[in-house]
Amino acid sequence: MRIGELARRTGVTTRALRYYEEQNLLTAERSGSGQRHYAEDAVDRIHLIRQLYAAGLSSKTIAELTPCVIDGQATPELLQRLAAERDHLDRNIANLARTRDRLDSVINGASSHMHTGTPCPRDTTA
């Protein structure tokens, strides 16, 4: 498929697809006139790349990890790296959950004080 179709099917801009190629995250065959043509599996690869970006991984890290995820090529070092990235995500998730819980507490306090007309107490735990 051509770059415009891949962009439509994945919801990614053509500029992003060219960037993924520059970062060695995606490959395309070139026609005689230089047009990019992608295999059908590029759609799944783009979705994976987007998920990894959304998880906070850099393009360099994604490029290092995708051979295992895409092609099944694994080494002990790569498995350690994948586990380290998962642990990093777990820590981020825990931090976000604590932040959400604290925000819930602020919302609840502000809501109850709004109904009573009393000022919100200052947060001294920060």
Side-chain angles (χ1 to χ4, degrees), residues 7-24:
R8 280 188 300 279
R9 290 180 60 187
T10 58
V12 175
T13 66
T14 57
R15 182 176 181 194
L17 295 174
R18 287 189 291 273
Y19 174 78
Y20 296 163
E21 279 189 60
E22 290 172 11
Q23 299 300 310
N24 296 316

Side-chain angles (χ1 to χ4, degrees), residues 3 6 40-41 47 57 68 71-72 75 84 89-90 107 119:
I3 193 168
L6 182 58
E40 186 64 31
D41 66 353
H47 290 303
L57 277 64
C68 176
D71 303 328
T75 63
L89 288 173
D90 285 343
I107 290 169

Side-chain angles (χ1 to χ4, degrees), residues 3-78:
I3 193 168
E5 182 181 349
L6 182 58
R8 280 188 300 279
R9 290 180 60 187
T10 58
V12 175
T13 66
T14 57
R15 182 176 181 194
L17 295 174
R18 287 189 291 273
Y19 174 78
Y20 296 163
E21 279 189 60
E22 290 172 11
Q23 299 300 310
N24 296 316
L25 302 175
L26 181 66
T27 58
E29 298 291 323
R30 295 290 186 139
S31 69
S33 62
Q35 291 182 330
R36 292 171 170 87
H37 292 275
Y38 298 93
E40 186 64 31
D41 66 353
V43 172
D44 289 335
R45 187 172 186 126
I46 296 301
H47 290 303
L48 173 64
I49 290 167
R50 300 295 296 166
Q51 286 177 320
L52 295 172
Y53 270 128
L57 277 64
S58 69
S59 57
K60 180 182 179 207
T61 300
I62 294 170
E64 292 169 356
L65 301 179
T66 53
C68 176
V69 177
I70 300 294
D71 303 328
Q73 301 171 10
T75 63
E77 294 81 15
L78 185 56

